Amino acid sequence: MSSGNQLFNNLLEKLEKFVRTETVVGEPIVVGNVTMVPIVSVSLGLGGGEGTGKDDKGNDGTGTGGGAGCKITPNAILVIKDGEFSVFPLTSKGSAERLVDMVPEIIQKVESYKTKQRNQSQESDE
C-alpha cells in the first residue's frame, strides 16, 4: 500500500470515530419531565495527493500530503414534554425565542428537583 493510501485510510479511520450517530443526535438532557435532544449537521471535507518527480538537478523525489476538516452546526433542539414532541429550529428567530421562553420553567424544575433530592437525603439521614 502506498503512503498516500495509508494516509487516507488513517484520516478516514479518525473521521469514522469522530462522526457517529451521537454526533448528529446529541445526548439527551433531562430536566424534570422535559427532555431536550440537540440535533446538529456535520460537514466533512478531505483531500490529498501524492507524487513523484525529479528536481532540476535530476534528483528523484516523492511526496504525499493530506488534510481533513469538519464543521458541526447546531440545527435544532427536540423537546419532549408531557409526552408531546416539539422541534425548535435554531436557525429561526421565532423558534429560538420560544425555546428561551421555556428556560425559566426548566430552571424552576431543576431547582424543584434539587430541593426534592435534598429533602430525601435529609430524611434518609434521620
Side-chain angles (χ1 to χ4, degrees):
M1 179 184 300
S2 74
S3 60
N5 286 342
Q6 246 177 335
L7 176 67
F8 276 111
N9 285 338
N10 288 340
L11 282 171
L12 290 173
E13 278 180 33
K14 302 268 189 233
L15 287 172
E16 183 179 41
K17 289 178 184 175
F18 176 72
V19 180
R20 305 178 317 263
T21 304
E22 292 82 15
T23 307
V24 177
V25 178
E27 293 291 322
I29 302 163
V30 179
V31 180
N33 66 340
V34 177
T35 302
M36 295 176 287
V37 182
I39 309 292
V40 301
S41 64
V42 179
S43 301
L44 299 172
L46 63 108
E50 66 180 316
T52 61
K54 293 185 182 274
D55 67 11
D56 294 339
K57 297 178 184 175
N59 298 318
D60 289 330
T62 63
T64 60
C70 180
K71 175 183 171 185
I72 298 175
T73 306
N75 287 337
I77 295 180
L78 172 66
V79 177
I80 306 163
K81 179 180 173 188
D82 299 327
E84 294 185 20
F85 295 83
S86 300
V87 177
F88 295 93
L90 298 178
T91 55
S92 165
K93 269 189 179 176
S95 295
E97 289 169 359
R98 287 189 355 231
L99 187 59
V100 169
D101 289 342
M102 291 179 68
V103 170
E105 180 182 343
I106 293 169
I107 291 171
Q108 181 183 8
K109 289 189 181 295
V110 169
E111 290 172 355
S112 172
Y113 178 77
K114 286 181 181 179
T115 301
K116 182 179 176 184
Q117 292 297 321
R118 246 191 322 263
N119 291 342
Q120 287 177 350
S121 175
Q122 289 173 354
E123 289 173 5
S124 65
D125 289 344
E126 293 174 355

